[in-house]
Amino acid sequence: PMAVKRQIRRLGELGLRVNISEFDVRVRKLPDDDDLRKRAQRDIYHDILAAALSEPFFDGVWLWGFTDKHTWVKDFYYEDQPLIFDDQYGRKDSYNALNEALQTLCIGGIVGGGVFSLSDDEEAQIS
C-alpha cells in the first residue's frame, strides 16, 4: 500500500489525477488455504483503496466486474474468485473491506483509516 500511496503522490505532483481501474484481486496462486486466500484478498482490497483515498490526487476506483460468476479471469487466465461478490452474488469479505475503506471518507472518518500516514522522512523522499 505504501508504494501505491507514493506513486499516486508522485503522479499527482506532476499535475495528474489518479484512478485505479480494472481492480480485482486474484488469489488462486496463493497456498491452498481458503482462509488465507480470503484474508489476503480482503486485506489487499482494503489496504490499496485506503492508501489511495489518503492521497488528494486520487480520483476514483473501478472494479473489473463485480461477481466471480462472470469474471474475465476465468476466460483469460485460470479459475479464480477475484471480485467482491461470489458466484451466487453474495457479498464476500472483500466487499466489506472496500466498504470499510470508503467509510473513512464519512464525517468523522479518518481518510485511509489513519494507518497510511507517511513519516516525515518518507514525506521528504517523495517531495
Side-chain angles (χ1 to χ4, degrees):
M2 295 308 292
V4 170
K5 181 177 178 58
R6 283 191 291 271
Q7 186 70 343
I8 291 170
R9 173 85 50 92
R10 186 184 72 78
L11 293 169
E13 289 173 348
L14 295 172
L16 301 171
R17 303 294 296 173
V18 178
N19 294 277
I20 295 175
S21 64
E22 290 86 41
F23 191 22
D24 57 41
V25 179
R26 292 181 244 160
V27 293
R28 180 58 54 200
K29 294 196 175 186
L30 293 176
D32 190 16
D33 177 336
D34 284 340
D35 289 337
L36 171 71
R37 289 176 177 175
K38 287 177 186 177
R39 192 169 49 254
Q41 186 178 64
R42 182 193 195 296
D43 290 350
I44 292 167
Y45 267 115
H46 177 275
D47 293 352
I48 295 296
L49 184 56
L53 288 169
S54 70
E55 285 300 315
F57 306 109
F58 180 65
D59 225 17
V61 62
W62 285 263
L63 304 183
W64 193 255
F66 70 95
T67 175
D68 293 334
K69 185 172 185 168
H70 300 291
T71 177
W72 68 279
V73 172
K74 293 176 185 178
D75 296 329
F76 289 91
Y77 293 102
Y78 43 81
E79 187 68 29
D80 208 333
Q81 297 82 36
L83 299 168
I84 63 172
F85 287 87
D86 64 24
D87 288 343
Q88 302 298 313
Y89 299 89
R91 294 175 182 172
K92 294 170 40 180
D93 290 343
S94 53
Y95 169 92
N96 296 323
L98 284 182
N99 190 29
E100 289 168 14
L102 289 170
Q103 285 181 22
T104 67
L105 293 175
C106 297
I107 295 174
I110 299 171
V111 176
V115 294
F116 294 104
S117 299
L118 297 177
S119 69
D120 290 341
D121 292 337
E122 290 172 316
E123 289 282 350
Q125 289 175 357
I126 292 174
S127 300

